[in-house]
Amino acid sequence: MPTSILKTEIDQQPEVIRNLLNSQQENVQRIARQIRGKFQYVLIAARGTSDNAARYAQYLLGINNRLQVALATPSVFSIYHAPVDLCGALVIGISQSGQSPDIVSVIAEAKKQGRPTLAITNNPQSPLAENAEYLIPLQAGEERAVAATKTYTASLAALALLSCSLLEHPEYAAELQKLPDAMQTTLQNTEIAIARAERYRYMEHCAVIGRGYNYASAFEIALKIKELTRVVAEPYSSADFRHGPIATAQSGFPVILIAPRSAVQDDLLDLIRNLQSRGAELLIISDDPAALEQAHFPLPIARGLPEWLTPLITVLPGQRFAMQLAIEKHLNVDQPEGLTKVTETL
Amino acid sequence: MPTSILKTEIDQQPEVIRNLLNSQQENVQRIARQIRGKFQYVLIAARGTSDNAARYAQYLLGINNRLQVALATPSVFSIYHAPVDLCGALVIGISQSGQSPDIVSVIAEAKKQGRPTLAITNNPQSPLAENAEYLIPLQAGEERAVAATKTYTASLAALALLSCSLLEHPEYAAELQKLPDAMQTTLQNTEIAIARAERYRYMEHCAVIGRGYNYASAFEIALKIKELTRVVAEPYSSADFRHGPIATAQSGFPVILIAPRSAVQDDLLDLIRNLQSRGAELLIISDDPAALEQAHFPLPIARGLPEWLTPLITVLPGQRFAMQLAIEKHLNVDQPEGLTKVTETL
């Protein structure tokens, strides 16, 4: 079988991130110097995969930078034409293509209100880039597979660079440099584990659970599974899952848990025990042998990354799992039926 | 069959809302006078059903009051112990029980930072109420069914009262008074339609789609279906659905659409046509005959409410549908297996 475009793009990720970290450091430091002190909170406009990058920003900028992050409701601007008062906001638009009119409308309105605006996009000639005051180009190369992978992790890395640059904390910046190797190791680990994914050939739905920084990975892995395999995959935080949906976790129900060593680890280990007592089927993405031991399907990630950077590696086994499941189901991984690469919504 | 507690509480909603609107008007006007001009944006902390009330607030306060609303990520406060700088925020906690420590921790931190804080809860003696500077008690009477219904619509009505009181716009306030009758009519319409819910006896998953003000109803209906029936129900905005998950909508896939007459109606009618061409099964909640005609399962709501108040009636057929489906599946509607009324998460 020839290598798919999707597999090539998944495997490019360590190199894409290395390139972004090296080439964009100065640009992002300059942006940070210019916006520092000019806002009280952050508003992010994004859709689909980019919205999951925004979820990462909620925890990254929240915990590391003590910034409150709001996610925009673009239709308020684009359909209801009732732009909110953005006083106090730094407004960030994230979009691979930079084309979606609803995301562009938020940035355009922010600019009109005189707020600082930043575009994070893989297309520096896009309407999003052209409307924003500042730009972090992802430089990931053209993404040809419909399911976004390298532009997702590149968006996370761009946000991590921004967080570090706003902090001016040399230790954090040094940790960023560990990313490409940790991503490479994780992809290698995954390649070994993934052969057994055929176990899930007839899975019809599943839940994907993460918390804190890795809440974003739960959403992004669920989205990849839905896009590539049509399996109904539902993302949750462990807390929200306990507030209702846990009722669906009957015997055999597959749950993908993102449980790296972290501040939320005890909470997740407790949920793992609860799910085991219900007879759920556990797929666990972790660097913790104690967690991996509890899994029917362990997906080990590289060790040694600080928690705030783990979302860049926990998503990788999820991307690869979604791709493998599509192969087992005889589906086209590069061009899933019913989807287009650029979706323009109002 | 004796009437279930759940059915009794669903049917109490028009009266609960009438009572809340009458008894809390002065209190909420006083709160509005005291907080006006003291904040630049709104931060809401909530979980589960109350988080769906917060989603309504994003559109309600966004479109009607031009306020940006952020949803809190409680674990940033409760697990990571990294409280964000809340400068500029009005902080609202919504919780039926007022007990969940993670929600209380956000309000307590806001108070510590000297920010205005508001609790919306059915328990005025709860830690949430006691920690907040201002309180809107829901006065819905004890809610005994595990699946929340009347405290959800009461939370929406409390937010609608707040929005009107901040606006000081007599027309909006007058429209609020239409709610109890419109809820009553909708419940009556639903009772006629719901007998055919047995059609979905063996449904295993579904999508629930709304947009704008009714994005909240999509989330809340999906949550009721999950809690009461264990069916995997996924909520989406029509825009996010087009950005990937639409791939799962194959022939026969059930989609519940919340499509009242509204600013987002054209967008939803376009999606309905797309879904029809894919052979999806359509359940449509609407006051628009043109939309209802396209449905395999039409759920007509009362006419004549302005769009911003429709979420208080569009959710009703969804609650009742989830309940009926549980009955058809021989499940306990008052005490779904595996759930507890008060869920305390960190």
PDB file of all heavy atoms in Angstrom, chain A residues 113-136:
ATOM      1  N   GLN A 113     -12.605  48.215  16.503  1.00  0.00           N
ATOM      2  CA  GLN A 113     -12.717  48.736  17.872  1.00  0.00           C
ATOM      3  C   GLN A 113     -11.355  49.112  18.453  1.00  0.00           C
ATOM      4  O   GLN A 113     -11.243  49.440  19.629  1.00  0.00           O
ATOM      5  CB  GLN A 113     -13.421  47.715  18.780  1.00  0.00           C
ATOM      6  CG  GLN A 113     -14.895  47.493  18.442  1.00  0.00           C
ATOM      7  CD  GLN A 113     -15.621  46.663  19.498  1.00  0.00           C
ATOM      8  OE1 GLN A 113     -15.208  46.611  20.660  1.00  0.00           O
ATOM      9  NE2 GLN A 113     -16.707  46.006  19.118  1.00  0.00           N
ATOM     10  N   GLY A 114     -10.308  49.006  17.628  1.00  0.00           N
ATOM     11  CA  GLY A 114      -8.981  49.416  18.086  1.00  0.00           C
ATOM     12  C   GLY A 114      -8.305  48.446  19.033  1.00  0.00           C
ATOM     13  O   GLY A 114      -7.379  48.812  19.766  1.00  0.00           O
ATOM     14  N   ARG A 115      -8.740  47.179  19.029  1.00  0.00           N
ATOM     15  CA  ARG A 115      -8.121  46.191  19.907  1.00  0.00           C
ATOM     16  C   ARG A 115      -6.927  45.546  19.211  1.00  0.00           C
ATOM     17  O   ARG A 115      -6.902  45.449  17.978  1.00  0.00           O
ATOM     18  CB  ARG A 115      -9.134  45.086  20.282  1.00  0.00           C
ATOM     19  CG  ARG A 115     -10.406  45.567  20.976  1.00  0.00           C
ATOM     20  CD  ARG A 115     -10.131  46.437  22.177  1.00  0.00           C
ATOM     21  NE  ARG A 115      -9.128  45.845  23.067  1.00  0.00           N
ATOM     22  CZ  ARG A 115      -8.432  46.515  23.972  1.00  0.00           C
ATOM     23  NH1 ARG A 115      -8.589  47.816  24.113  1.00  0.00           N
ATOM     24  NH2 ARG A 115      -7.556  45.904  24.743  1.00  0.00           N
ATOM     25  N   PRO A 116      -5.925  45.065  19.988  1.00  0.00           N
ATOM     26  CA  PRO A 116      -4.832  44.310  19.363  1.00  0.00           C
ATOM     27  C   PRO A 116      -5.354  42.975  18.810  1.00  0.00           C
ATOM     28  O   PRO A 116      -6.133  42.298  19.473  1.00  0.00           O
ATOM     29  CB  PRO A 116      -3.838  44.082  20.513  1.00  0.00           C
ATOM     30  CG  PRO A 116      -4.597  44.341  21.769  1.00  0.00           C
ATOM     31  CD  PRO A 116      -5.748  45.231  21.429  1.00  0.00           C
ATOM     32  N   THR A 117      -4.945  42.625  17.590  1.00  0.00           N
ATOM     33  CA  THR A 117      -5.428  41.399  16.940  1.00  0.00           C
ATOM     34  C   THR A 117      -4.250  40.567  16.440  1.00  0.00           C
ATOM     35  O   THR A 117      -3.259  41.100  15.939  1.00  0.00           O
ATOM     36  CB  THR A 117      -6.334  41.722  15.736  1.00  0.00           C
ATOM     37  OG1 THR A 117      -5.637  42.622  14.862  1.00  0.00           O
ATOM     38  CG2 THR A 117      -7.652  42.362  16.170  1.00  0.00           C
ATOM     39  N   LEU A 118      -4.381  39.248  16.562  1.00  0.00           N
ATOM     40  CA  LEU A 118      -3.313  38.328  16.146  1.00  0.00           C
ATOM     41  C   LEU A 118      -3.919  37.187  15.344  1.00  0.00           C
ATOM     42  O   LEU A 118      -4.893  36.562  15.772  1.00  0.00           O
ATOM     43  CB  LEU A 118      -2.613  37.766  17.401  1.00  0.00           C
ATOM     44  CG  LEU A 118      -1.702  36.548  17.222  1.00  0.00           C
ATOM     45  CD1 LEU A 118      -0.493  36.880  16.346  1.00  0.00           C
ATOM     46  CD2 LEU A 118      -1.237  36.023  18.594  1.00  0.00           C
ATOM     47  N   ALA A 119      -3.338  36.913  14.170  1.00  0.00           N
ATOM     48  CA  ALA A 119      -3.772  35.775  13.357  1.00  0.00           C
ATOM     49  C   ALA A 119      -2.756  34.651  13.483  1.00  0.00           C
ATOM     50  O   ALA A 119      -1.546  34.884  13.401  1.00  0.00           O
ATOM     51  CB  ALA A 119      -3.905  36.180  11.898  1.00  0.00           C
ATOM     52  N   ILE A 120      -3.239  33.424  13.701  1.00  0.00           N
ATOM     53  CA  ILE A 120      -2.398  32.233  13.668  1.00  0.00           C
ATOM     54  C   ILE A 120      -2.944  31.377  12.527  1.00  0.00           C
ATOM     55  O   ILE A 120      -4.046  30.841  12.614  1.00  0.00           O
ATOM     56  CB  ILE A 120      -2.445  31.477  15.014  1.00  0.00           C
ATOM     57  CG1 ILE A 120      -1.878  32.362  16.134  1.00  0.00           C
ATOM     58  CG2 ILE A 120      -1.690  30.156  14.923  1.00  0.00           C
ATOM     59  CD1 ILE A 120      -1.936  31.735  17.527  1.00  0.00           C
ATOM     60  N   THR A 121      -2.208  31.294  11.430  1.00  0.00           N
ATOM     61  CA  THR A 121      -2.720  30.619  10.230  1.00  0.00           C
ATOM     62  C   THR A 121      -1.576  30.053   9.399  1.00  0.00           C
ATOM     63  O   THR A 121      -0.444  30.538   9.469  1.00  0.00           O
ATOM     64  CB  THR A 121      -3.563  31.592   9.366  1.00  0.00           C
ATOM     65  OG1 THR A 121      -3.965  30.926   8.158  1.00  0.00           O
ATOM     66  CG2 THR A 121      -2.804  32.856   9.012  1.00  0.00           C
ATOM     67  N   ASN A 122      -1.921  29.040   8.600  1.00  0.00           N
ATOM     68  CA  ASN A 122      -0.925  28.462   7.700  1.00  0.00           C
ATOM     69  C   ASN A 122      -0.882  29.211   6.373  1.00  0.00           C
ATOM     70  O   ASN A 122      -0.068  28.887   5.524  1.00  0.00           O
ATOM     71  CB  ASN A 122      -1.252  26.976   7.466  1.00  0.00           C
ATOM     72  CG  ASN A 122      -0.044  26.182   7.026  1.00  0.00           C
ATOM     73  OD1 ASN A 122       1.091  26.506   7.396  1.00  0.00           O
ATOM     74  ND2 ASN A 122      -0.270  25.132   6.251  1.00  0.00           N
ATOM     75  N   ASN A 123      -1.784  30.197   6.212  1.00  0.00           N
ATOM     76  CA  ASN A 123      -1.824  30.939   4.948  1.00  0.00           C
ATOM     77  C   ASN A 123      -1.635  32.431   5.195  1.00  0.00           C
ATOM     78  O   ASN A 123      -2.590  33.155   5.490  1.00  0.00           O
ATOM     79  CB  ASN A 123      -3.150  30.673   4.237  1.00  0.00           C
ATOM     80  CG  ASN A 123      -3.200  31.371   2.885  1.00  0.00           C
ATOM     81  OD1 ASN A 123      -2.308  32.154   2.533  1.00  0.00           O
ATOM     82  ND2 ASN A 123      -4.256  31.101   2.128  1.00  0.00           N
ATOM     83  N   PRO A 124      -0.375  32.925   5.077  1.00  0.00           N
ATOM     84  CA  PRO A 124      -0.092  34.332   5.394  1.00  0.00           C
ATOM     85  C   PRO A 124      -0.705  35.304   4.391  1.00  0.00           C
ATOM     86  O   PRO A 124      -0.678  36.513   4.623  1.00  0.00           O
ATOM     87  CB  PRO A 124       1.441  34.404   5.395  1.00  0.00           C
ATOM     88  CG  PRO A 124       1.899  33.211   4.652  1.00  0.00           C
ATOM     89  CD  PRO A 124       0.823  32.163   4.721  1.00  0.00           C
ATOM     90  N   GLN A 125      -1.270  34.772   3.279  1.00  0.00           N
ATOM     91  CA  GLN A 125      -1.951  35.665   2.320  1.00  0.00           C
ATOM     92  C   GLN A 125      -3.479  35.636   2.486  1.00  0.00           C
ATOM     93  O   GLN A 125      -4.202  36.159   1.657  1.00  0.00           O
ATOM     94  CB  GLN A 125      -1.627  35.243   0.872  1.00  0.00           C
ATOM     95  CG  GLN A 125      -0.389  35.931   0.302  1.00  0.00           C
ATOM     96  CD  GLN A 125       0.871  35.197   0.715  1.00  0.00           C
ATOM     97  OE1 GLN A 125       0.944  33.979   0.572  1.00  0.00           O
ATOM     98  NE2 GLN A 125       1.845  35.921   1.235  1.00  0.00           N
ATOM     99  N   SER A 126      -3.951  35.001   3.543  1.00  0.00           N
ATOM    100  CA  SER A 126      -5.397  34.818   3.700  1.00  0.00           C
ATOM    101  C   SER A 126      -6.074  36.081   4.239  1.00  0.00           C
ATOM    102  O   SER A 126      -5.414  36.958   4.802  1.00  0.00           O
ATOM    103  CB  SER A 126      -5.650  33.657   4.659  1.00  0.00           C
ATOM    104  OG  SER A 126      -5.103  33.967   5.924  1.00  0.00           O
ATOM    105  N   PRO A 127      -7.405  36.166   4.091  1.00  0.00           N
ATOM    106  CA  PRO A 127      -8.142  37.305   4.679  1.00  0.00           C
ATOM    107  C   PRO A 127      -7.902  37.436   6.183  1.00  0.00           C
ATOM    108  O   PRO A 127      -7.826  38.554   6.702  1.00  0.00           O
ATOM    109  CB  PRO A 127      -9.612  36.964   4.408  1.00  0.00           C
ATOM    110  CG  PRO A 127      -9.608  35.976   3.294  1.00  0.00           C
ATOM    111  CD  PRO A 127      -8.294  35.260   3.339  1.00  0.00           C
ATOM    112  N   LEU A 128      -7.762  36.316   6.878  1.00  0.00           N
ATOM    113  CA  LEU A 128      -7.520  36.389   8.326  1.00  0.00           C
ATOM    114  C   LEU A 128      -6.199  37.100   8.598  1.00  0.00           C
ATOM    115  O   LEU A 128      -6.129  38.031   9.410  1.00  0.00           O
ATOM    116  CB  LEU A 128      -7.500  34.982   8.945  1.00  0.00           C
ATOM    117  CG  LEU A 128      -7.305  34.963  10.462  1.00  0.00           C
ATOM    118  CD1 LEU A 128      -8.495  35.584  11.181  1.00  0.00           C
ATOM    119  CD2 LEU A 128      -7.079  33.535  10.979  1.00  0.00           C
ATOM    120  N   ALA A 129      -5.133  36.659   7.913  1.00  0.00           N
ATOM    121  CA  ALA A 129      -3.807  37.264   8.102  1.00  0.00           C
ATOM    122  C   ALA A 129      -3.834  38.739   7.732  1.00  0.00           C
ATOM    123  O   ALA A 129      -3.232  39.580   8.410  1.00  0.00           O
ATOM    124  CB  ALA A 129      -2.769  36.514   7.267  1.00  0.00           C
ATOM    125  N   GLU A 130      -4.550  39.056   6.654  1.00  0.00           N
ATOM    126  CA  GLU A 130      -4.542  40.433   6.168  1.00  0.00           C
ATOM    127  C   GLU A 130      -5.336  41.383   7.066  1.00  0.00           C
ATOM    128  O   GLU A 130      -5.066  42.573   7.099  1.00  0.00           O
ATOM    129  CB  GLU A 130      -5.064  40.479   4.721  1.00  0.00           C
ATOM    130  CG  GLU A 130      -3.971  40.010   3.754  1.00  0.00           C
ATOM    131  CD  GLU A 130      -4.489  39.691   2.361  1.00  0.00           C
ATOM    132  OE1 GLU A 130      -5.679  39.979   2.088  1.00  0.00           O
ATOM    133  OE2 GLU A 130      -3.700  39.159   1.558  1.00  0.00           O
ATOM    134  N   ASN A 131      -6.303  40.853   7.800  1.00  0.00           N
ATOM    135  CA  ASN A 131      -7.100  41.695   8.692  1.00  0.00           C
ATOM    136  C   ASN A 131      -6.461  41.904  10.059  1.00  0.00           C
ATOM    137  O   ASN A 131      -6.847  42.813  10.778  1.00  0.00           O
ATOM    138  CB  ASN A 131      -8.500  41.110   8.875  1.00  0.00           C
ATOM    139  CG  ASN A 131      -9.465  41.594   7.812  1.00  0.00           C
ATOM    140  OD1 ASN A 131      -9.986  42.701   7.906  1.00  0.00           O
ATOM    141  ND2 ASN A 131      -9.669  40.789   6.785  1.00  0.00           N
ATOM    142  N   ALA A 132      -5.517  41.042  10.431  1.00  0.00           N
ATOM    143  CA  ALA A 132      -4.960  41.107  11.788  1.00  0.00           C
ATOM    144  C   ALA A 132      -3.740  42.019  11.846  1.00  0.00           C
ATOM    145  O   ALA A 132      -3.001  42.158  10.870  1.00  0.00           O
ATOM    146  CB  ALA A 132      -4.591  39.711  12.265  1.00  0.00           C
ATOM    147  N   GLU A 133      -3.532  42.625  13.007  1.00  0.00           N
ATOM    148  CA  GLU A 133      -2.372  43.504  13.200  1.00  0.00           C
ATOM    149  C   GLU A 133      -1.086  42.678  13.285  1.00  0.00           C
ATOM    150  O   GLU A 133      -0.055  43.051  12.748  1.00  0.00           O
ATOM    151  CB  GLU A 133      -2.607  44.287  14.510  1.00  0.00           C
ATOM    152  CG  GLU A 133      -1.599  45.372  14.791  1.00  0.00           C
ATOM    153  CD  GLU A 133      -1.953  46.133  16.081  1.00  0.00           C
ATOM    154  OE1 GLU A 133      -3.026  45.861  16.684  1.00  0.00           O
ATOM    155  OE2 GLU A 133      -1.149  46.989  16.487  1.00  0.00           O
ATOM    156  N   TYR A 134      -1.161  41.539  13.970  1.00  0.00           N
ATOM    157  CA  TYR A 134       0.013  40.675  14.120  1.00  0.00           C
ATOM    158  C   TYR A 134      -0.257  39.301  13.516  1.00  0.00           C
ATOM    159  O   TYR A 134      -1.404  38.863  13.445  1.00  0.00           O
ATOM    160  CB  TYR A 134       0.369  40.513  15.601  1.00  0.00           C
ATOM    161  CG  TYR A 134       0.606  41.822  16.306  1.00  0.00           C
ATOM    162  CD1 TYR A 134      -0.360  42.362  17.159  1.00  0.00           C
ATOM    163  CD2 TYR A 134       1.788  42.534  16.113  1.00  0.00           C
ATOM    164  CE1 TYR A 134      -0.161  43.576  17.801  1.00  0.00           C
ATOM    165  CE2 TYR A 134       1.995  43.750  16.747  1.00  0.00           C
ATOM    166  CZ  TYR A 134       1.029  44.266  17.597  1.00  0.00           C
ATOM    167  OH  TYR A 134       1.242  45.457  18.216  1.00  0.00           O
ATOM    168  N   LEU A 135       0.834  38.625  13.118  1.00  0.00           N
ATOM    169  CA  LEU A 135       0.682  37.332  12.444  1.00  0.00           C
ATOM    170  C   LEU A 135       1.734  36.336  12.924  1.00  0.00           C
ATOM    171  O   LEU A 135       2.915  36.667  13.006  1.00  0.00           O
ATOM    172  CB  LEU A 135       0.839  37.539  10.928  1.00  0.00           C
ATOM    173  CG  LEU A 135       0.973  36.285  10.050  1.00  0.00           C
ATOM    174  CD1 LEU A 135      -0.334  35.499  10.014  1.00  0.00           C
ATOM    175  CD2 LEU A 135       1.402  36.673   8.621  1.00  0.00           C
ATOM    176  N   ILE A 136       1.291  35.135  13.279  1.00  0.00           N
ATOM    177  CA  ILE A 136       2.229  34.016  13.436  1.00  0.00           C
ATOM    178  C   ILE A 136       1.912  33.017  12.321  1.00  0.00           C
ATOM    179  O   ILE A 136       0.896  32.314  12.378  1.00  0.00           O
ATOM    180  CB  ILE A 136       2.111  33.319  14.810  1.00  0.00           C
ATOM    181  CG1 ILE A 136       2.210  34.331  15.961  1.00  0.00           C
ATOM    182  CG2 ILE A 136       3.195  32.248  14.950  1.00  0.00           C
ATOM    183  CD1 ILE A 136       2.078  33.704  17.354  1.00  0.00           C
TER     184      ILE A 136
END
